[in-house]
Structure formats: structure tokens, C-alpha cells
Amino acid sequence: MSLDMDYPAEQTIQEAYIALGSNIGDRAGLLQQAIEMIHAHEGIQVLKVSHMYETDPVGYVDQPAFLNMVISVATCLSPILLLRSLLKLELQLGRIRKQRWGPRTIDLDLLLYDNVIMDQEELMLPHPRMMDRPFVLVPLHDVIADSHLLQEQVASLSQAALQSGKEGITLWKTINWHSESGHFAS
């Protein structure tokens, strides 16, 4: 992967996938702000941005609908450092963890980090519940590399979720990401 990032030559650049969700406040604005903040991070470059999907809440259902997206990024950060950076960004964007699966200004989940398999207390990769979550799979399908080991499975599950119509997923807004300029266009 060749990138125009100013990393020391000895640092390896990896591709990772991050899920974003919001259901409090200016949902679309918070998602866009989160992506801009991720892209502005010294060790991360946003490569691709999925469309925005409005999705029914899962788990705790007595809350507003979510907007969900997935982005692919290039990073020189380790998986743990990338996760910790995402958690700091959540706090900066007003994330308060009161209730599991409850309402939130922003949720940033590290789904995949190259083809790394990891099972630690702080982080499991691939994300342990992503294949059961159509609200993750549908936007992930928008951005996952054709060469990724899980691409075919993600494509199949995403198509099945959309065809069933039972998953409460609606295309809400198409997004174009121009990583050279860092600006969104609709």
C-alpha cells in the first residue's frame, strides 16, 4: 500500500476498518466530525468512507434510530494504540457510557486491522459481533477491499440483510470522501 503519509520508513502501514454510529444530537454532523478528527490524527489516514445508513437500534430498542457508517483507514498505529485513539475521540465528541447499547453521541468500533486475529481483554479482532450486525456489515461492504479475507462473507451477509428487508437498514445519504482535500461532498 503506497501512501503519501509522513511516517518513518521502518513503520509498517496497515489497513483497518472502523464502524461509526450516532443517535443523539446532529447525528450526521457528529459522524462527519469524527471522520475529520480521525483523518487529522497524525498516524491515521482515511481511505474510503461508506454511505450513511439509518438503522433501527439493536439490544436496547427504546431509543432513537442510529446513523451508521464504516471507514477504511491506513495507519502506522498498532491495533491497541488505534483503539485507544478512537476511545479518546469518542470522549472529545461527548460520548458518555451510561448504558450498554444505549444512546450515544458517537460510537467508534475497530472492526478489522489488516488480517490480524487478536483476543485480548482490551481488544478482540475481528470485532466479535460484527458478522451478526447488519448495521455494520452493510456499510462495511461499501468499503472493504476486494483482497480482504472476509470480503466474500461480508458481501454475502450484507446482501442477505438488505434483501430480507427485516433488518431496519435504510440508505440515508451517499457520501464522497476526497482524502486529498479532506472534504465531504454529497
Side-chain angles (χ1 to χ4, degrees), residues 22-186:
S22 176
N23 76 334
I24 297 176
D26 177 9
R27 302 175 303 166
L30 285 162
L31 292 176
Q32 289 180 352
Q33 190 176 356
I35 294 168
E36 295 285 354
M37 290 171 76
I38 290 168
H39 189 67
H41 190 286
E42 179 177 300
I44 309 169
Q45 179 183 11
V46 174
L47 301 174
K48 294 181 189 173
V49 176
S50 76
H51 301 307
M52 280 186 198
Y53 295 89
E54 188 166 56
T55 63
D56 293 340
V58 174
Y60 175 66
V61 297
D62 188 22
Q63 61 181 318
F66 281 83
L67 287 184
N68 290 100
M69 301 177 72
V70 172
I71 60 174
S72 70
V73 301
T75 184
C76 65
L77 302 177
S78 70
I80 295 291
L81 290 179
L82 179 57
L83 173 67
R84 290 175 183 166
S85 295
L86 296 175
L87 293 174
K88 286 179 187 175
L89 291 174
E90 283 184 347
L91 289 174
Q92 291 173 13
L93 290 169
R95 172 79 188 260
I96 299 170
R97 295 178 184 269
K98 288 183 183 177
Q99 174 182 17
R100 186 172 185 181
W101 298 322
R104 62 207 79 160
T105 55
I106 196 73
D107 187 21
L108 303 173
D109 288 330
L110 181 55
L111 302 174
L112 300 164
Y113 184 98
D114 193 41
N115 290 310
V116 170
I117 297 173
M118 172 184 257
D119 188 355
Q120 296 181 5
E121 185 175 334
E122 190 173 357
L123 177 63
M124 291 180 67
L125 289 171
H127 189 287
R129 292 174 300 281
M130 74 175 208
M131 292 305 211
D132 300 324
R133 294 179 168 174
F135 64 87
V136 169
L137 292 169
V138 171
L140 178 58
H141 182 250
D142 289 350
V143 297
I144 195 167
D146 290 340
S147 61
H148 196 281
L149 295 176
L150 293 176
Q151 192 279 334
E152 286 184 30
Q153 188 177 6
V154 167
S156 175
L157 292 170
S158 172
Q159 289 298 96
L162 289 173
Q163 287 174 352
S164 78
K166 299 176 186 175
E167 301 297 342
I169 300 171
T170 307
L171 177 62
W172 194 77
K173 184 177 182 180
T174 59
I175 302 292
N176 293 314
W177 173 260
H178 303 287
S179 61
E180 306 79 37
S181 64
H183 294 280
F184 282 89
S186 296

